[in-house]
Amino acid sequence: MNTLFDFTLALGDDALIAAQRLGEWTSRAPEMEEDVALANIALDQLGAARLLLTYAGELEGAGRDEDALAYLRDDREFRNCLLVELPNGDFAVTMAKLFFLAAYQLPLYTALAGCADERLAAIGAKARKESAYHLDHAALWVKRLGDGTEESHRRMQAAVDQVWPYTHELLTADPAAPVDPATLRADFDATVSAVLDEATLTRPETRWTPGGGRDGVHTEHLSYLLAEMQVLHRAHPGARW
Amino acid sequence: MYGNDFAAPEDGPGGGLLGEVEAAEAALREAAARARRGGPAPDEDLDGYFTDVIDADQKIEPRDWMPEAYRKTLIRQIAQHAHSEIIGMQPEGNWISRAPSLKRKAILLAKVQDEAGHGLYLYAAAETLGVSRDELVQLLLDGRQKYSSIFNYPTLTWADVGAIGWLVDGAAIVNQVPLCRCSYGPYARAMIRVCKEESFHQRQGYEILHTLAHGTPAQKAMAQDAVDRWWYPSLAMFGPPDGDSTHSAQSMAWKIKRFSNDDLRQRFVDMCVGQAEVLGLALPDPELRWNDERQAYDYTQPDYDELMRVIKGDGPCNRERMAHRRRAHAEGAWVREAAAAYAAKQKNKEKVAA
């Protein structure tokens, strides 16, 4: 990543794709309270995505608004991290994804709130409050599942093992960015270790470190996600909704 | 009044109905402020006491004595209302992933989230009558309690999301506004909260249709098609005609219901005609016309045989809706068990620490 536009777009894409996946849970959650919570978090992510994409469009100066950026780019132009595009899997996989994402977004948005760019600082200040709630919610579920029944422990550990490699991409150094993700490492590690310990889960070793999302090189999952998300918008070029 | 609740072009629906909700809320406060008679006298007939409270337009509260049939009727009605909110998340939830703009996606997500919240209020209201949410959910899953027939129709296009907001939520509000004055306090209070949010949803649905109807020819056709498909199922939401309605008379005497099915249906039709004109969409009823003598619109009744088929389980989506709910419940079992096991462990730890 090299420009402010790339950076802003990448964060907006993270939030947008996370919202899309969380939205898939609607009416499918294990309990009604969780339906409310997941929709709530999806809405927060979508709200952050709209602010970031709108700003990215302005930075680019090519007349693209949030909808042009969300609906009219192909997967090779999306800049989200791979973590958020992974399928929801079972509830443990969803919670592992949300936990790692929030453990990254909270220090990221907190740092952003203090950055020199006023717009990003304002977005960071708003989004960090929401991230704190997401982190709290996901961490509690990681603990409940990790230290719940034998089956839930097994599933939660499997979810952590499955998702863990994708956290590497979140913290890849980018010294030119308004907030260098590498500087978030200590905060991320501290949060993750404390919660996994309490959840009686083990932290996998980092061997395989998939990446490429920031360069538009995604998993095979993203283009299906986009096909669904964009289908109606693309079917009616130029229409207002 | 409902019948004249025609929206101004920029205004959309909801204004008159919200006024009704606010009036009901004020009446509720007044009833609470009026000195309520205490419990029944030692030798007083309980039925007489109960009738007295109802006649005085006071609210029955959870600890009050009430006839067993009143309790059962309310449990059935409130539970089925709660089930409808939960099942009702599915047809609209079907479009969250494909909503055509980020703004619409956000509005739709918030709406479906509200519905889950309404389900929760209503189950809580039902629980004040001495039944547990788990029992009620089981009755739904076993097919022994119903949910609103309307949610057995499919959402085939984006415009259906608008039609559901305008017509389905509109019909729900016309039905529910009088329930804000229902004799059972917890239900009346839940309805006040629900109606306020529903009227917001109805306005948003209307706005979706308005945008489509004033958009491209393809969008307008999409909107008209949705209204064509949702009009009669929405009219059927008021239930069978008065002559065939089994619970009506008793519910009216108990002040659970305040108006008959046909009265409410007429109000709804009268309300929609003007709104459809503003939208520039046609209601699919060639017989629809103003009757000067009745000061109301004449209209074609919905097909009540179809309504009965849908209620009995043979509508287009009954099987899918139930399978979806059962699947979510079954697939979530291990999560709920984990939460219970974790809570028990935490409680133990606290005991050891104390």
Side-chain angles (χ1 to χ4, degrees):
Chain A
M1 275 185 287
N2 30 45
T3 68
L4 195 57
F5 165 71
D6 293 325
F7 178 79
T8 308
L9 188 67
L11 299 196
D13 284 349
D14 284 355
L16 176 62
I17 304 302
Q20 185 74 4
R21 283 294 187 218
L22 288 165
E24 291 172 16
W25 270 101
T26 306
S27 81
R28 290 181 171 82
E31 49 189 40
M32 290 168 208
E33 286 79 357
E34 196 54 25
D35 251 319
V36 176
L38 291 174
N40 205 322
I41 297 170
L43 259 174
D44 287 344
Q45 292 285 354
L46 185 55
R50 294 181 63 193
L51 292 172
L52 287 160
L53 293 180
T54 298
Y55 185 40
E58 290 170 28
L59 287 168
E60 185 190 37
R64 292 203 281 184
D65 63 7
E66 59 177 27
D67 286 336
L69 287 170
Y71 290 96
L72 300 174
R73 281 182 298 150
D74 293 323
D75 61 313
R76 290 283 287 113
E77 298 162 277
F78 266 77
R79 292 292 178 264
N80 59 281
C81 59
L82 303 184
L83 174 76
V84 294
E85 73 195 43
L86 299 178
N88 282 336
D90 68 6
F91 189 69
V93 172
T94 290
M95 281 303 133
K97 284 172 56 185
L98 182 61
F99 173 56
F100 292 134
L101 180 67
Y104 153 75
Q105 283 182 331
L106 178 58
L108 171 70
Y109 287 137
T110 303
L112 211 57
C115 83
D117 185 287
E118 267 181 40
R119 285 282 288 282
L120 283 179
I123 295 170
K126 182 178 186 298
R128 74 176 162 186
K129 293 180 206 151
E130 296 164 351
S131 290
Y133 160 74
H134 306 166
L135 181 59
D136 192 54
H137 189 76
L140 186 53
W141 272 114
V142 170
K143 289 187 255 180
R144 281 182 185 136
L145 298 178
D147 194 17
T149 63
E150 250 176 68
E151 185 190 7
S152 71
H153 177 86
R154 176 182 59 75
R155 288 195 193 224
M156 194 65 234
Q157 184 66 59
V160 167
D161 293 348
Q162 180 194 328
V163 168
W164 178 254
Y166 296 91
T167 61
H168 177 77
E169 185 186 17
L170 304 177
L171 304 165
T172 304
D174 181 9
V179 173
D180 180 355
T183 62
L184 309 173
R185 168 66 78 181
D187 210 323
F188 179 87
D189 281 345
T191 304
V192 166
S193 297
V195 172
L196 292 186
D197 283 350
E198 214 189 314
T200 72
L201 297 166
T202 54
R203 184 173 143 162
E205 280 179 37
T206 305
R207 190 164 43 104
W208 177 52
T209 56
R214 301 297 186 213
D215 301 316
V217 179
H218 291 275
T219 66
E220 291 175 349
H221 304 294
L222 185 65
S223 67
Y224 286 98
L225 180 150
L226 295 180
E228 183 172 338
M229 184 173 88
Q230 299 175 338
V231 60
L232 180 58
H233 188 97
R234 285 190 188 257
H236 298 265
R240 280 182 55 249
W241 299 96
Chain B
M1 289 306 292
Y2 298 99
N4 294 317
D5 185 34
F6 292 170
E10 67 286 357
D11 197 29
L17 292 165
L18 257 189
E20 287 280 311
V21 175
E22 272 154 25
E25 199 176 9
L28 195 72
R29 277 197 299 270
E30 282 162 27
R34 279 203 303 274
R36 219 197 96 163
R37 62 167 295 192
D43 55 345
E44 191 177 352
D45 161 45
L46 288 171
D47 262 311
Y49 165 76
F50 174 81
T51 308
D52 235 31
V53 174
I54 300 265
D55 287 348
D57 263 330
Q58 302 285 20
K59 298 299 170 197
I60 300 292
E61 296 297 339
R63 270 176 244 168
D64 291 334
W65 183 87
M66 60 188 86
E68 207 38 42
Y70 176 85
R71 183 188 302 274
K72 281 198 172 134
T73 296
L74 275 168
I75 289 176
R76 181 181 50 80
Q77 186 173 338
I78 299 173
Q80 294 185 168
H81 195 159
H83 301 331
S84 301
E85 298 284 357
I86 297 303
I87 299 288
M89 294 168 73
Q90 291 181 40
E92 291 172 287
N94 182 37
W95 280 90
I96 289 174
S97 68
R98 292 172 293 169
S101 75
L102 297 187
K103 179 183 159 197
R104 291 293 174 204
K105 190 192 289 285
I107 291 172
L108 184 57
L109 255 171
K111 178 181 178 184
V112 178
Q113 184 194 18
D114 279 350
E115 281 160 9
H118 294 171
L120 289 170
Y121 304 158
L122 286 159
Y123 283 119
E127 285 190 321
T128 65
L129 291 159
V131 62
S132 77
R133 176 171 120 188
D134 288 349
E135 288 171 71
L136 296 174
V137 167
Q138 201 54 52
L139 288 171
L140 168 68
L141 296 177
D142 294 345
R144 289 165 59 206
Q145 279 189 339
K146 307 283 186 209
Y147 54 87
S148 177
S149 58
I150 195 80
F151 300 120
N152 293 312
Y153 290 88
T155 48
L156 303 177
T157 72
W158 169 251
D160 290 32
V161 173
I164 288 182
W166 177 44
L167 294 173
V168 174
D169 293 336
I173 298 167
V174 168
N175 236 330
Q176 291 169 12
V177 162
L179 291 173
C180 295
R181 293 175 183 271
C182 148
S183 60
Y184 188 59
Y187 193 24
R189 290 188 288 271
M191 280 300 95
I192 287 171
R193 246 179 116 168
V194 168
C195 282
K196 285 183 182 176
E197 290 179 1
E198 290 290 356
S199 89
F200 190 61
H201 298 162
Q202 192 208 8
R203 182 172 290 253
Q204 288 164 342
Y206 182 87
E207 204 186 282
I208 288 175
L209 286 182
H210 195 273
T211 306
L212 293 175
H214 295 81
T216 66
Q219 284 178 305
K220 180 160 187 180
M222 193 194 284
Q224 184 61 59
D225 171 60
V227 169
D228 290 348
R229 282 181 289 109
W230 288 92
W231 173 247
Y232 281 114
S234 301
L235 287 191
M237 281 175 72
F238 294 92
D242 291 349
D244 307 347
S245 181
T246 41
H247 306 292
S248 277
Q250 182 60 78
S251 286
M252 303 239 307
W254 279 330
K255 295 190 183 169
I256 295 175
K257 269 183 89 152
R258 300 240 167 194
F259 301 96
S260 77
N261 293 352
D262 287 336
D263 283 349
L264 291 172
R265 192 168 7 245
Q266 181 72 56
R267 282 184 187 189
F268 178 68
V269 171
D270 291 348
M271 187 182 96
C272 287
V273 173
Q275 292 169 0
E277 275 166 21
V278 178
L279 286 173
L281 295 172
L283 295 173
D285 180 0
E287 305 303 321
L288 185 73
R289 62 179 58 88
W290 179 251
N291 181 325
D292 216 35
E293 216 169 292
R294 293 201 307 121
Q295 287 293 299
Y297 283 90
D298 291 334
Y299 63 97
T300 308
Q301 292 289 319
D303 176 351
Y304 292 109
D305 292 337
E306 175 180 315
L307 174 66
M308 293 322 291
R309 280 196 300 277
V310 177
I311 288 175
K312 288 193 171 126
D314 292 332
C317 298
N318 298 59
R319 285 160 175 78
E320 276 172 56
R321 300 292 185 242
M322 288 302 292
H324 181 108
R325 193 68 239 136
R326 289 191 186 115
R327 196 183 320 118
H329 191 76
E331 287 180 358
W334 69 273
V335 177
R336 295 190 299 275
E337 283 158 18
Y342 179 79
K345 283 184 197 177
Q346 295 302 110
K347 218 174 170 185
N348 258 338
K349 277 186 201 162
E350 277 166 31
K351 262 191 210 155
V352 173

